[in-house]
Short mmCIF file of all heavy atoms in Angstrom, two decimals:
data_model
loop_
_atom_site.label_atom_id
_atom_site.label_comp_id
_atom_site.label_asym_id
_atom_site.label_seq_id
_atom_site.Cartn_x
_atom_site.Cartn_y
_atom_site.Cartn_z
N GLY A 145 3.93 -7.16 -10.86
CA GLY A 145 4.21 -6.16 -11.89
C GLY A 145 3.85 -6.74 -13.22
O GLY A 145 4.11 -7.90 -13.52
N ILE A 146 3.19 -5.92 -14.03
CA ILE A 146 2.82 -6.33 -15.42
C ILE A 146 3.45 -5.25 -16.31
O ILE A 146 3.17 -4.08 -16.19
CB ILE A 146 1.31 -6.35 -15.61
CG1 ILE A 146 0.65 -7.30 -14.58
CG2 ILE A 146 0.91 -6.70 -17.03
CD1 ILE A 146 -0.81 -7.15 -14.36
N THR A 147 4.35 -5.68 -17.21
CA THR A 147 5.19 -4.70 -17.89
C THR A 147 5.08 -4.74 -19.41
O THR A 147 4.68 -5.76 -19.97
CB THR A 147 6.65 -4.90 -17.46
OG1 THR A 147 7.04 -6.25 -17.71
CG2 THR A 147 6.87 -4.61 -15.98
N PRO A 148 5.42 -3.64 -20.06
CA PRO A 148 5.30 -3.52 -21.53
C PRO A 148 6.56 -4.02 -22.24
O PRO A 148 7.58 -4.27 -21.61
CB PRO A 148 5.13 -2.02 -21.74
CG PRO A 148 6.02 -1.46 -20.67
CD PRO A 148 5.93 -2.38 -19.48
N PHE A 149 6.45 -4.03 -23.58
CA PHE A 149 7.62 -4.53 -24.34
C PHE A 149 8.76 -3.51 -24.42
O PHE A 149 9.88 -3.89 -24.71
CB PHE A 149 7.18 -4.93 -25.78
CG PHE A 149 7.02 -3.76 -26.71
CD1 PHE A 149 8.13 -3.23 -27.37
CD2 PHE A 149 5.77 -3.15 -26.93
CE1 PHE A 149 7.98 -2.13 -28.23
CE2 PHE A 149 5.64 -2.07 -27.80
CZ PHE A 149 6.75 -1.54 -28.43
N ASN A 150 8.45 -2.24 -24.23
CA ASN A 150 9.41 -1.24 -24.70
C ASN A 150 10.57 -0.98 -23.77
O ASN A 150 11.59 -0.42 -24.20
CB ASN A 150 8.72 0.05 -25.13
CG ASN A 150 8.16 0.83 -23.98
OD1 ASN A 150 7.68 0.23 -23.00
ND2 ASN A 150 8.18 2.14 -24.06
N PHE A 151 10.46 -1.36 -22.48
CA PHE A 151 11.63 -1.27 -21.57
C PHE A 151 11.71 -2.57 -20.77
O PHE A 151 11.40 -2.55 -19.56
CB PHE A 151 11.48 -0.04 -20.66
CG PHE A 151 11.88 1.24 -21.31
CD1 PHE A 151 10.91 2.11 -21.81
CD2 PHE A 151 13.22 1.61 -21.49
CE1 PHE A 151 11.24 3.29 -22.47
CE2 PHE A 151 13.57 2.80 -22.10
CZ PHE A 151 12.57 3.66 -22.60
N MET A 154 14.39 -1.89 -17.74
CA MET A 154 14.16 -0.76 -16.84
C MET A 154 12.88 -0.93 -16.01
O MET A 154 12.90 -0.76 -14.78
CB MET A 154 14.07 0.54 -17.65
CG MET A 154 13.76 1.76 -16.79
SD MET A 154 13.59 3.26 -17.79
CE MET A 154 11.88 3.22 -18.30
N ILE A 155 11.79 -1.26 -16.66
CA ILE A 155 10.51 -1.23 -15.92
C ILE A 155 10.40 -2.38 -14.94
O ILE A 155 10.02 -2.13 -13.76
CB ILE A 155 9.30 -1.09 -16.90
CG1 ILE A 155 9.42 0.31 -17.61
CG2 ILE A 155 7.99 -1.22 -16.17
CD1 ILE A 155 8.35 0.59 -18.65
N TRP A 158 12.47 -1.03 -12.14
CA TRP A 158 11.77 0.03 -11.40
C TRP A 158 10.90 -0.56 -10.28
O TRP A 158 10.88 -0.11 -9.17
CB TRP A 158 10.76 0.69 -12.30
CG TRP A 158 11.07 1.82 -13.17
CD1 TRP A 158 12.28 2.43 -13.41
CD2 TRP A 158 10.11 2.51 -13.99
NE1 TRP A 158 12.07 3.43 -14.32
CE2 TRP A 158 10.78 3.51 -14.67
CE3 TRP A 158 8.74 2.37 -14.19
CZ2 TRP A 158 10.14 4.37 -15.57
CZ3 TRP A 158 8.11 3.21 -15.10
CH2 TRP A 158 8.81 4.20 -15.78
N LYS A 173 5.01 -10.30 -14.45
CA LYS A 173 4.42 -10.80 -15.69
C LYS A 173 4.95 -9.85 -16.77
O LYS A 173 4.34 -8.82 -17.05
CB LYS A 173 2.91 -10.79 -15.60
CG LYS A 173 2.18 -11.76 -16.52
CD LYS A 173 2.51 -11.64 -18.00
CE LYS A 173 1.83 -10.49 -18.68
NZ LYS A 173 2.30 -10.34 -20.10
N PRO A 174 6.08 -10.19 -17.42
CA PRO A 174 6.60 -9.27 -18.40
C PRO A 174 5.88 -9.39 -19.73
O PRO A 174 5.05 -10.26 -19.94
CB PRO A 174 8.06 -9.80 -18.57
CG PRO A 174 8.04 -11.21 -18.16
CD PRO A 174 6.88 -11.40 -17.22
N SER A 175 6.24 -8.46 -20.62
CA SER A 175 5.67 -8.54 -21.97
C SER A 175 6.06 -9.85 -22.64
O SER A 175 7.21 -10.29 -22.56
CB SER A 175 6.17 -7.36 -22.81
OG SER A 175 5.83 -7.58 -24.19
N GLU A 176 5.11 -10.47 -23.34
CA GLU A 176 5.42 -11.72 -24.02
C GLU A 176 6.26 -11.48 -25.28
O GLU A 176 6.75 -12.41 -25.91
CB GLU A 176 4.12 -12.47 -24.37
CG GLU A 176 3.13 -11.73 -25.27
CD GLU A 176 2.19 -10.79 -24.51
OE1 GLU A 176 2.67 -10.03 -23.63
OE2 GLU A 176 1.01 -10.78 -24.85
N LYS A 177 6.46 -10.21 -25.64
CA LYS A 177 7.24 -9.94 -26.86
C LYS A 177 8.76 -10.05 -26.63
O LYS A 177 9.48 -10.41 -27.53
CB LYS A 177 6.93 -8.51 -27.38
CG LYS A 177 5.47 -8.38 -27.84
CD LYS A 177 5.25 -7.10 -28.61
CE LYS A 177 3.80 -7.00 -29.04
NZ LYS A 177 3.01 -6.08 -28.27
N ASP A 178 9.19 -9.72 -25.40
CA ASP A 178 10.65 -9.81 -25.13
C ASP A 178 10.90 -10.30 -23.72
O ASP A 178 11.29 -9.56 -22.83
CB ASP A 178 11.34 -8.46 -25.39
CG ASP A 178 10.56 -7.25 -24.92
OD1 ASP A 178 9.62 -7.42 -24.11
OD2 ASP A 178 10.88 -6.12 -25.33
N GLY A 204 3.15 -14.80 -19.87
CA GLY A 204 1.76 -15.05 -20.22
C GLY A 204 1.11 -13.85 -20.87
O GLY A 204 1.76 -12.84 -21.20
N ASP A 205 -0.21 -14.02 -21.04
CA ASP A 205 -1.01 -13.00 -21.69
C ASP A 205 -2.15 -12.59 -20.81
O ASP A 205 -2.05 -12.58 -19.60
CB ASP A 205 -1.42 -13.45 -23.12
CG ASP A 205 -2.15 -14.80 -23.07
OD1 ASP A 205 -2.42 -15.32 -21.95
OD2 ASP A 205 -2.46 -15.35 -24.14
N LYS A 206 -3.34 -12.37 -21.43
CA LYS A 206 -4.49 -11.89 -20.68
C LYS A 206 -4.87 -12.85 -19.52
O LYS A 206 -5.24 -12.40 -18.42
CB LYS A 206 -5.67 -11.73 -21.63
CG LYS A 206 -6.93 -11.18 -20.98
CD LYS A 206 -7.96 -10.82 -22.03
CE LYS A 206 -9.35 -10.67 -21.47
NZ LYS A 206 -9.47 -9.86 -20.27
N GLU A 207 -4.75 -14.12 -19.75
CA GLU A 207 -5.11 -15.12 -18.72
C GLU A 207 -4.26 -14.88 -17.45
O GLU A 207 -4.76 -14.90 -16.33
CB GLU A 207 -4.92 -16.54 -19.26
CG GLU A 207 -5.45 -17.60 -18.31
CD GLU A 207 -5.54 -18.98 -18.93
OE1 GLU A 207 -5.54 -19.10 -20.19
OE2 GLU A 207 -5.62 -19.96 -18.16
N ALA A 208 -2.98 -14.62 -17.66
CA ALA A 208 -2.08 -14.38 -16.52
C ALA A 208 -2.41 -13.04 -15.87
O ALA A 208 -2.50 -12.96 -14.63
CB ALA A 208 -0.61 -14.37 -16.97
N VAL A 209 -2.68 -12.05 -16.66
CA VAL A 209 -3.01 -10.72 -16.12
C VAL A 209 -4.30 -10.78 -15.32
O VAL A 209 -4.41 -10.24 -14.21
CB VAL A 209 -3.10 -9.67 -17.27
CG1 VAL A 209 -3.65 -8.36 -16.78
CG2 VAL A 209 -1.74 -9.49 -17.92
N ASP A 210 -5.28 -11.46 -15.87
CA ASP A 210 -6.59 -11.53 -15.13
C ASP A 210 -6.42 -12.29 -13.82
O ASP A 210 -7.03 -11.94 -12.81
CB ASP A 210 -7.61 -12.27 -16.04
CG ASP A 210 -8.10 -11.37 -17.17
OD1 ASP A 210 -7.82 -10.15 -17.12
OD2 ASP A 210 -8.77 -11.86 -18.10
N CYS A 213 -4.82 -9.96 -11.35
CA CYS A 213 -5.70 -8.85 -10.91
C CYS A 213 -6.86 -9.31 -10.03
O CYS A 213 -7.53 -8.49 -9.45
CB CYS A 213 -6.26 -8.10 -12.15
SG CYS A 213 -4.97 -7.21 -13.00
N PHE A 223 1.25 -1.66 -13.09
CA PHE A 223 1.12 -1.95 -14.51
C PHE A 223 1.74 -0.81 -15.31
O PHE A 223 1.55 0.35 -14.95
CB PHE A 223 -0.34 -2.09 -14.89
CG PHE A 223 -0.56 -2.21 -16.37
CD1 PHE A 223 -0.57 -3.45 -16.99
CD2 PHE A 223 -0.69 -1.07 -17.18
CE1 PHE A 223 -0.74 -3.56 -18.39
CE2 PHE A 223 -0.88 -1.16 -18.56
CZ PHE A 223 -0.90 -2.40 -19.18
N VAL A 224 2.43 -1.14 -16.38
CA VAL A 224 2.83 -0.15 -17.38
C VAL A 224 2.54 -0.74 -18.75
O VAL A 224 2.91 -1.86 -19.04
CB VAL A 224 4.33 0.23 -17.28
CG1 VAL A 224 4.68 1.23 -18.37
CG2 VAL A 224 4.65 0.82 -15.91
N GLY A 225 1.85 0.06 -19.59
CA GLY A 225 1.50 -0.42 -20.92
C GLY A 225 0.60 0.59 -21.60
O GLY A 225 0.66 1.80 -21.29
N SER A 226 -0.23 0.09 -22.51
CA SER A 226 -1.08 1.03 -23.27
C SER A 226 -2.29 1.46 -22.41
O SER A 226 -2.67 0.75 -21.45
CB SER A 226 -1.56 0.34 -24.54
OG SER A 226 -2.27 -0.84 -24.20
N THR A 227 -2.90 2.57 -22.77
CA THR A 227 -3.97 3.10 -21.96
C THR A 227 -5.21 2.19 -21.83
O THR A 227 -5.71 2.02 -20.69
CB THR A 227 -4.38 4.50 -22.47
OG1 THR A 227 -3.30 5.39 -22.15
CG2 THR A 227 -5.65 5.04 -21.83
N PRO A 228 -5.69 1.58 -22.89
CA PRO A 228 -6.88 0.72 -22.69
C PRO A 228 -6.62 -0.41 -21.69
O PRO A 228 -7.48 -0.73 -20.88
CB PRO A 228 -7.17 0.16 -24.09
CG PRO A 228 -6.48 1.10 -25.04
CD PRO A 228 -5.32 1.66 -24.29
N ILE A 229 -5.42 -1.01 -21.75
CA ILE A 229 -5.12 -2.10 -20.86
C ILE A 229 -4.85 -1.55 -19.45
O ILE A 229 -5.24 -2.18 -18.45
CB ILE A 229 -3.94 -2.96 -21.34
CG1 ILE A 229 -4.08 -3.34 -22.82
CG2 ILE A 229 -3.79 -4.24 -20.51
CD1 ILE A 229 -5.25 -4.17 -23.19
N ALA A 230 -4.24 -0.40 -19.38
CA ALA A 230 -4.00 0.24 -18.07
C ALA A 230 -5.35 0.48 -17.35
O ALA A 230 -5.49 0.18 -16.14
CB ALA A 230 -3.25 1.56 -18.21
N TYR A 232 -8.13 -1.06 -17.89
CA TYR A 232 -8.74 -2.38 -17.59
C TYR A 232 -8.09 -2.97 -16.31
O TYR A 232 -8.77 -3.45 -15.39
CB TYR A 232 -8.56 -3.34 -18.77
CG TYR A 232 -8.88 -4.76 -18.52
CD1 TYR A 232 -10.23 -5.15 -18.39
CD2 TYR A 232 -7.89 -5.72 -18.35
CE1 TYR A 232 -10.56 -6.45 -18.11
CE2 TYR A 232 -8.22 -7.05 -18.08
CZ TYR A 232 -9.55 -7.41 -17.94
OH TYR A 232 -9.88 -8.72 -17.67
N VAL A 233 -6.75 -2.96 -16.27
CA VAL A 233 -6.06 -3.50 -15.11
C VAL A 233 -6.41 -2.71 -13.85
O VAL A 233 -6.68 -3.28 -12.78
CB VAL A 233 -4.50 -3.50 -15.37
CG1 VAL A 233 -3.72 -3.69 -14.08
CG2 VAL A 233 -4.16 -4.59 -16.37
N ALA A 246 -1.39 2.23 -12.61
CA ALA A 246 -1.38 1.73 -13.99
C ALA A 246 -1.04 2.87 -14.93
O ALA A 246 -1.81 3.80 -15.12
CB ALA A 246 -2.75 1.14 -14.33
N MET A 247 0.19 2.77 -15.48
CA MET A 247 0.69 3.82 -16.37
C MET A 247 0.29 3.45 -17.80
O MET A 247 0.45 2.32 -18.20
CB MET A 247 2.22 3.90 -16.26
CG MET A 247 2.76 4.75 -15.17
SD MET A 247 2.25 4.26 -13.54
CE MET A 247 2.76 5.68 -12.57
N GLY A 248 -0.13 4.46 -18.54
CA GLY A 248 -0.63 4.22 -19.91
C GLY A 248 0.15 4.94 -20.97
O GLY A 248 1.33 5.28 -20.77
N GLY A 249 -0.52 5.15 -22.09
CA GLY A 249 0.12 5.72 -23.28
C GLY A 249 0.39 7.21 -23.18
O GLY A 249 0.19 7.83 -22.14
N ALA A 250 0.88 7.79 -24.32
CA ALA A 250 1.35 9.15 -24.23
C ALA A 250 1.26 9.84 -25.61
O ALA A 250 1.23 9.17 -26.62
CB ALA A 250 2.80 9.19 -23.71
N LYS A 251 1.31 11.13 -25.56
CA LYS A 251 1.51 11.95 -26.77
C LYS A 251 2.22 13.20 -26.27
O LYS A 251 1.59 14.12 -25.70
CB LYS A 251 0.11 12.31 -27.38
CG LYS A 251 0.19 12.82 -28.77
CD LYS A 251 0.13 11.73 -29.78
CE LYS A 251 0.18 12.25 -31.21
NZ LYS A 251 0.04 11.20 -32.21
N ASN A 252 3.53 13.19 -26.39
CA ASN A 252 4.30 14.22 -25.70
C ASN A 252 4.68 15.37 -26.61
O ASN A 252 5.23 15.15 -27.69
CB ASN A 252 5.56 13.58 -25.08
CG ASN A 252 5.23 12.41 -24.18
OD1 ASN A 252 4.30 12.50 -23.38
ND2 ASN A 252 5.94 11.32 -24.29
N GLU A 279 9.47 4.26 -29.96
CA GLU A 279 8.77 3.36 -29.05
C GLU A 279 9.12 3.64 -27.58
O GLU A 279 9.56 2.76 -26.87
CB GLU A 279 9.10 1.90 -29.41
CG GLU A 279 8.56 1.48 -30.77
CD GLU A 279 9.10 0.12 -31.21
OE1 GLU A 279 10.27 -0.22 -30.90
OE2 GLU A 279 8.35 -0.61 -31.83
N ARG A 280 8.94 4.89 -27.23
CA ARG A 280 9.15 5.30 -25.82
C ARG A 280 7.92 6.04 -25.34
O ARG A 280 7.47 6.92 -26.09
CB ARG A 280 10.35 6.22 -25.69
CG ARG A 280 11.69 5.61 -25.89
CD ARG A 280 12.76 6.74 -25.63
NE ARG A 280 14.08 6.25 -25.95
CZ ARG A 280 14.99 6.96 -26.61
NH1 ARG A 280 14.70 8.21 -27.03
NH2 ARG A 280 16.17 6.48 -26.86
N CYS A 281 7.53 5.78 -24.12
CA CYS A 281 6.37 6.53 -23.62
C CYS A 281 6.76 8.01 -23.37
O CYS A 281 5.89 8.85 -23.20
CB CYS A 281 5.85 5.94 -22.32
SG CYS A 281 7.05 6.06 -21.00
N MET A 282 8.06 8.32 -23.37
CA MET A 282 8.48 9.70 -23.18
C MET A 282 9.05 10.26 -24.47
O MET A 282 9.67 11.35 -24.46
CB MET A 282 9.50 9.80 -22.03
CG MET A 282 8.85 9.59 -20.65
SD MET A 282 7.68 10.83 -20.20
CE MET A 282 8.79 12.07 -19.52
N VAL A 325 9.05 -3.24 -33.15
CA VAL A 325 9.15 -4.49 -32.37
C VAL A 325 8.56 -5.72 -33.11
O VAL A 325 9.14 -6.82 -33.00
CB VAL A 325 8.51 -4.32 -30.97
CG1 VAL A 325 7.01 -4.13 -31.04
CG2 VAL A 325 8.86 -5.47 -30.06
N HIS A 329 3.06 -4.38 -35.18
CA HIS A 329 3.21 -3.00 -34.70
C HIS A 329 3.65 -2.11 -35.85
O HIS A 329 3.17 -0.96 -35.96
CB HIS A 329 4.18 -2.92 -33.52
CG HIS A 329 4.25 -1.55 -32.95
ND1 HIS A 329 3.16 -0.91 -32.41
CD2 HIS A 329 5.26 -0.62 -32.90
CE1 HIS A 329 3.48 0.29 -32.02
NE2 HIS A 329 4.76 0.50 -32.28
N LYS A 332 0.64 -1.22 -37.78
CA LYS A 332 -0.17 -0.26 -37.06
C LYS A 332 0.38 1.17 -37.23
O LYS A 332 -0.37 2.10 -37.51
CB LYS A 332 -0.18 -0.65 -35.56
CG LYS A 332 -1.11 0.20 -34.73
CD LYS A 332 -1.14 -0.33 -33.29
CE LYS A 332 -1.67 0.76 -32.38
NZ LYS A 332 -1.31 0.53 -30.99
N GLU A 385 -1.97 7.79 -29.85
CA GLU A 385 -0.54 7.50 -29.81
C GLU A 385 -0.14 6.65 -31.00
O GLU A 385 -0.78 5.65 -31.33
CB GLU A 385 -0.28 6.70 -28.49
CG GLU A 385 1.17 6.37 -28.26
CD GLU A 385 1.40 5.50 -27.00
OE1 GLU A 385 0.64 4.52 -26.80
OE2 GLU A 385 2.26 5.87 -26.22
N PHE A 387 3.43 5.71 -31.61
CA PHE A 387 4.49 4.84 -31.11
C PHE A 387 5.39 4.33 -32.22
O PHE A 387 5.71 3.13 -32.31
CB PHE A 387 3.87 3.67 -30.33
CG PHE A 387 4.56 3.39 -29.02
CD1 PHE A 387 4.77 4.37 -28.07
CD2 PHE A 387 5.04 2.10 -28.71
CE1 PHE A 387 5.40 4.12 -26.87
CE2 PHE A 387 5.70 1.82 -27.53
CZ PHE A 387 5.86 2.87 -26.59
N PHE A 411 -3.82 12.65 -23.24
CA PHE A 411 -2.69 12.11 -22.50
C PHE A 411 -1.93 13.23 -21.79
O PHE A 411 -1.95 14.41 -22.21
CB PHE A 411 -1.72 11.40 -23.46
CG PHE A 411 -2.34 10.20 -24.12
CD1 PHE A 411 -2.53 10.17 -25.49
CD2 PHE A 411 -2.73 9.10 -23.37
CE1 PHE A 411 -3.12 9.05 -26.10
CE2 PHE A 411 -3.29 8.00 -23.97
CZ PHE A 411 -3.49 7.97 -25.34
N ASN A 413 1.60 12.56 -20.23
CA ASN A 413 2.77 11.94 -19.62
C ASN A 413 3.92 12.91 -19.48
O ASN A 413 4.27 13.29 -18.36
CB ASN A 413 3.18 10.74 -20.52
CG ASN A 413 3.75 9.61 -19.73
OD1 ASN A 413 3.28 9.36 -18.60
ND2 ASN A 413 4.77 8.95 -20.23
N MET A 436 5.15 15.29 -16.24
CA MET A 436 6.60 15.45 -16.21
C MET A 436 6.99 16.48 -17.27
O MET A 436 6.58 16.37 -18.43
CB MET A 436 7.28 14.11 -16.49
CG MET A 436 7.06 13.14 -15.32
SD MET A 436 7.65 11.44 -15.66
CE MET A 436 6.33 10.78 -16.66
N PHE A 452 8.31 8.93 -11.11
CA PHE A 452 7.91 8.92 -12.50
C PHE A 452 6.38 8.69 -12.58
O PHE A 452 5.89 7.71 -12.03
CB PHE A 452 8.63 7.76 -13.24
CG PHE A 452 8.34 7.71 -14.70
CD1 PHE A 452 9.28 8.11 -15.64
CD2 PHE A 452 7.12 7.21 -15.17
CE1 PHE A 452 9.00 8.04 -17.00
CE2 PHE A 452 6.85 7.16 -16.52
CZ PHE A 452 7.76 7.58 -17.46
N GLY A 453 5.71 9.56 -13.33
CA GLY A 453 4.29 9.29 -13.54
C GLY A 453 3.63 10.42 -14.33
O GLY A 453 3.97 11.58 -14.11
N GLY A 454 2.71 10.05 -15.17
CA GLY A 454 1.99 11.04 -15.96
C GLY A 454 0.66 11.41 -15.33
O GLY A 454 0.35 10.97 -14.23
N SER A 457 -4.99 10.44 -18.98
CA SER A 457 -5.06 9.05 -19.45
C SER A 457 -3.72 8.38 -19.54
O SER A 457 -3.60 7.25 -20.05
CB SER A 457 -5.74 8.95 -20.81
OG SER A 457 -7.06 9.29 -20.69
N SER A 458 -2.65 9.05 -19.04
CA SER A 458 -1.35 8.42 -19.04
C SER A 458 -1.06 7.68 -17.74
O SER A 458 -0.02 7.01 -17.62
CB SER A 458 -0.24 9.46 -19.26
OG SER A 458 -0.34 9.99 -20.57
N ALA A 459 -1.93 7.80 -16.77
CA ALA A 459 -1.69 7.09 -15.48
C ALA A 459 -2.98 7.00 -14.70
O ALA A 459 -3.68 7.99 -14.53
CB ALA A 459 -0.61 7.73 -14.66
N GLN A 465 5.69 5.77 -9.76
CA GLN A 465 6.79 4.82 -9.71
C GLN A 465 8.02 5.40 -9.04
O GLN A 465 8.30 6.58 -9.19
CB GLN A 465 7.25 4.43 -11.13
CG GLN A 465 6.13 3.89 -12.04
CD GLN A 465 5.86 2.42 -11.81
OE1 GLN A 465 6.64 1.75 -11.10
NE2 GLN A 465 4.78 1.93 -12.36
P1 NAD B 1 0.32 -3.40 -23.89
O1 NAD B 1 -0.73 -2.64 -23.17
O2 NAD B 1 -0.05 -4.06 -25.17
O3 NAD B 1 0.94 -4.55 -22.97
C1 NAD B 1 1.35 -4.29 -21.65
C2 NAD B 1 1.14 -5.52 -20.81
O4 NAD B 1 -0.24 -5.81 -20.78
C3 NAD B 1 1.85 -6.74 -21.33
O5 NAD B 1 2.42 -7.42 -20.25
C4 NAD B 1 0.76 -7.53 -22.01
O6 NAD B 1 0.99 -8.93 -21.96
C5 NAD B 1 -0.48 -7.15 -21.22
N1 NAD B 1 -1.70 -7.19 -22.05
C6 NAD B 1 -1.83 -6.91 -23.37
N2 NAD B 1 -3.07 -7.04 -23.76
C7 NAD B 1 -3.79 -7.41 -22.65
C8 NAD B 1 -5.19 -7.68 -22.47
N3 NAD B 1 -6.07 -7.63 -23.45
N4 NAD B 1 -5.58 -7.99 -21.23
C9 NAD B 1 -4.70 -8.07 -20.22
N5 NAD B 1 -3.36 -7.82 -20.37
C10 NAD B 1 -2.92 -7.49 -21.57
O7 NAD B 1 1.52 -2.38 -24.11
P2 NAD B 1 2.85 -2.61 -24.95
O8 NAD B 1 2.52 -2.53 -26.41
O9 NAD B 1 3.62 -3.75 -24.42
O10 NAD B 1 3.70 -1.27 -24.55
C11 NAD B 1 3.59 -0.06 -25.20
C12 NAD B 1 2.63 0.88 -24.48
O11 NAD B 1 3.13 1.11 -23.16
C13 NAD B 1 2.57 2.28 -25.11
O12 NAD B 1 1.23 2.68 -25.08
C14 NAD B 1 3.44 3.10 -24.19
O13 NAD B 1 3.11 4.49 -24.19
C15 NAD B 1 3.15 2.49 -22.88
N6 NAD B 1 4.16 2.80 -21.93
C16 NAD B 1 3.86 3.69 -20.92
C17 NAD B 1 4.80 4.03 -20.00
C18 NAD B 1 4.49 5.01 -18.90
O14 NAD B 1 5.22 5.06 -17.94
N7 NAD B 1 3.40 5.78 -19.00
C19 NAD B 1 6.09 3.46 -20.08
C20 NAD B 1 6.37 2.55 -21.08
C21 NAD B 1 5.38 2.23 -22.01
#
Side-chain angles (χ1 to χ4, degrees):
I146 302 164
T147 54
F149 80 83
N150 70 326
F151 281 100
M154 177 183 86
I155 295 178
W158 271 5
K173 204 304 283 174
S175 169
E176 60 275 45
K177 295 191 179 105
D178 41 17
D205 54 6
K206 182 170 163 48
E207 187 168 340
V209 171
D210 286 348
C213 291
F223 172 91
V224 178
S226 59
T227 289
I229 312 297
Y232 170 73
V233 164
M247 275 59 192
K251 194 88 180 184
N252 304 318
E279 292 170 325
R280 288 184 186 136
C281 66
M282 290 295 275
V325 67
H329 186 59
K332 184 176 161 199
E385 181 182 49
F387 225 53
F411 296 115
N413 213 37
M436 292 172 280
F452 184 106
S457 291
S458 293
Q465 303 279 350

